[in-house]
């Protein structure tokens, strides 16, 4: 695709075109998010087909989410500097090619490499999705509606990935979960240059020191928690990785404070509501990942659900998240972010806390159905306002960086949260005296208890929101 095609800015979206622009952007966002979980229910078959070890299998998920989260900040700033639509299109193209390569992979190493390359493409396209919504939809009500739908895709995409993965794995093959991205990715690459407006960009450097220290710092922390799950916290490699991650992140903050055009402009955190929204977009996914990772294993390994049934078990949660996304644009201007965020967070705490009562004999109704309903309702209320809070008043020149930080919080939160919860699960199963299914469930309920603590922290953060009405300015 020529540079002229990528640079050509179409007439700003109006009327029916605004719906098409939003559909293109949301389709890309959904595709990027659901790929974090679309292979989750297929992991047993992937392990059997490609000969993964028990410990190596988790990298099918981690390789994608870690690279995605680690490079999002760089992708956000690159979109601000080189053109958000260009990064959106190029990133989607890379993601699509990587999806094709992953579906064709005939070894464990090739699949992990393809998943990592998917993460690179997602990090290039992801921040631009949110920035393009902010700069395309300038009327207040239209922007709130678009951001609420974006939030539904971001929160519900994890659950939709499980449903789609279950369907494709049961009916076709686990490879279809990767191949399905190809036609949607091609459509986005062809339609976006024609219909999605290209905002004005500015040229400058990419803050490579910040990119290196930030990415390596997050990666070291995730590796430390993952390593602790198998080798314990007394292991030298675990402690060394943890210390390196903390030092690198401290250096990252210093670099960002002294750089003229940083990956993360610290002024983004000057607003109290925006800072609290960022923190909750980090803590919330830490709690929610326990639902997706451990519940899929509980259903398949303990209750012997098929892959298809496992995927559809999450349907109530996905439906509620999307339902709430339609209501939040009406509720947010009236009540402001605080009541919605606090109420949603409390529902999430209740839902995850309910899962700590699971036993080997627990059935879907009500032991799983009830928590899934509460989590769907809670996530829809708690997360939909956060996108609006973050993007409502951010300057256009920082829109890509702001979107990159928000999605980084989500991806790094889910990745780091999963690493922490796997560590808790591993410590319980190593030290407990029971065996078999009961031992597995004991580890899962301990992980759910930890996730409930993360969710409780989101309540405390939500209490700091100002009560002012969240109505975004164009």
């Amino acid at each position: 695709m020529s540079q002229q095609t990528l640079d050509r800015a179409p007439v700003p979206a109006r009327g029916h075109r605004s719906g098409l622009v939003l559909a293109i952007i949301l389709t890309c966002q959904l595709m990027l998010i659901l790929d974090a979980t679309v292979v989750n229910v297929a992991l047993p078959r992937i392990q059997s087909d490609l000969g993964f070890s028990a410990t190596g299998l988790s990298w099918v998920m981690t390789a994608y989410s870690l690279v995605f989260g680690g490079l999002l900040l760089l992708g956000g700033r690159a979109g601000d500097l080189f053109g958000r639509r260009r990064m959106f299109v190029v990133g989607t193209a890379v993601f699509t090619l990587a999806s094709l390569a992953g579906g064709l992979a005939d070894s464990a190493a090739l699949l992990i490499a393809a998943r990592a390359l998917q993460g690179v493409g997602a990090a290039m396209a992801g921040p631009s999705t949110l920035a393009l919504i902010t700069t395309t939809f300038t009327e207040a009500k239209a922007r709130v509606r678009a951001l609420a739908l974006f939030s539904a895709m971001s929160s519900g995409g994890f659950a939709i990935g499980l449903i789609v993965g279950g369907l494709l794995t049961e009916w076709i093959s686990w490879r279809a979960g990767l191949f399905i991205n190809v036609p949607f990715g091609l459509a986005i690459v062809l339609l976006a240059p024609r219909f999605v407006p290209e905002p004005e960009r500015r040229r400058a450097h990419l803050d490579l020191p910040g990119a290196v220290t930030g990415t390596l710092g997050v990666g070291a922390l995730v590796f430390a928690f993952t390593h602790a799950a198998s080798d314990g916290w007394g292991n030298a490699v675990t402690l060394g990785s943890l210390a390196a991650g903390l030092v690198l992140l401290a250096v990252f903050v210093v670099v960002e404070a002294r750089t003229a055009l940083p990956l993360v402009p610290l002024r983004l955190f000057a607003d109290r509501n925006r800072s609290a929204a960022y923190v909750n977009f980090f803590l919330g996914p830490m709690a929610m990942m326990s639902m997706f990772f451990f519940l899929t294993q509980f259903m398949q390994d303990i209750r012997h659900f098929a892959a298809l049934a496992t995927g559809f078990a999450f349907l109530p949660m996905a439906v509620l998240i999307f339902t709430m996304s339609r209501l939040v644009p009406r509720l947010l201007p009236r009540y402001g972010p605080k009541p919605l965020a606090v109420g949603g967070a409390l529902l999430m705490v209740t839902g995850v806390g309910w899962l700590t009562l699971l036993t080997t004999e627990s059935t879907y109704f009500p032991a799983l159905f009830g928590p899934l309903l509460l989590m769907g309702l809670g996530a829809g209320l708690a997360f939909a306002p956060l996108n609006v809070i973050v993007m409502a008043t951010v300057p256009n020149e920082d829109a890509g960086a702001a979107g990159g930080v928000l999605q980084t919080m989500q991806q790094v939160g889910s990745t780091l949260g999963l690493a922490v919860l796997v560590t808790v699960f591993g410590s319980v199963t190593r030290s407990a005296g029971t065996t078999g299914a009961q031992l597995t469930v004991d580890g899962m309920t301990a992980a759910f208890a930890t996730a409930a603590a993360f969710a409780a922290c989101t309540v405390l953060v939500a209490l700091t929101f100002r009560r002012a009405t969240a109505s975004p300015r164009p």
Side-chain angles (χ1 to χ4, degrees), residues 230-306:
S230 58
D231 293 77
W233 284 105
N235 183 273
V237 175
T238 301
L239 294 175
S241 299
L242 181 64
L246 294 175
V247 170
L248 284 167
L249 290 179
V251 173
F252 170 75
V253 173
V254 173
V255 169
E256 297 307 279
R258 298 182 177 182
T259 302
L261 287 172
L263 287 179
V264 182
L266 298 185
R267 59 183 174 272
L268 292 177
F269 299 92
D271 180 81
R272 189 175 82 183
N273 275 8
R274 189 183 299 136
S275 296
Y278 278 139
V279 173
N280 266 4
F281 234 105
F282 178 79
L283 292 171
M286 291 184 78
M288 291 185 68
M289 279 308 293
S290 65
M291 296 279 291
F292 306 121
F293 185 75
F294 290 108
L295 272 191
T296 54
Q297 295 182 63
F298 178 85
M299 293 177 193
Q300 294 187 83
D301 297 340
I302 306 300
R303 301 304 301 167
H304 306 294
F305 283 26

Side-chain angles (χ1 to χ4, degrees), residues 315-333:
L315 184 60
M317 180 182 181
V319 169
L320 272 176
I321 289 176
F322 279 98
T323 301
M324 296 312 301
S325 74
R326 305 293 293 178
L327 294 177
V328 163
R330 302 176 185 178
L331 300 175
L332 192 59

Side-chain angles (χ1 to χ4, degrees), residues 135-158:
T135 55
T136 301
F137 296 89
T138 56
E139 193 271 324
K141 289 183 179 180
R143 180 183 285 187
V144 170
R145 175 179 172 272
L147 289 173
L149 288 171
F150 179 90
S151 179
M153 293 296 181
S154 299
S155 302
F158 292 115

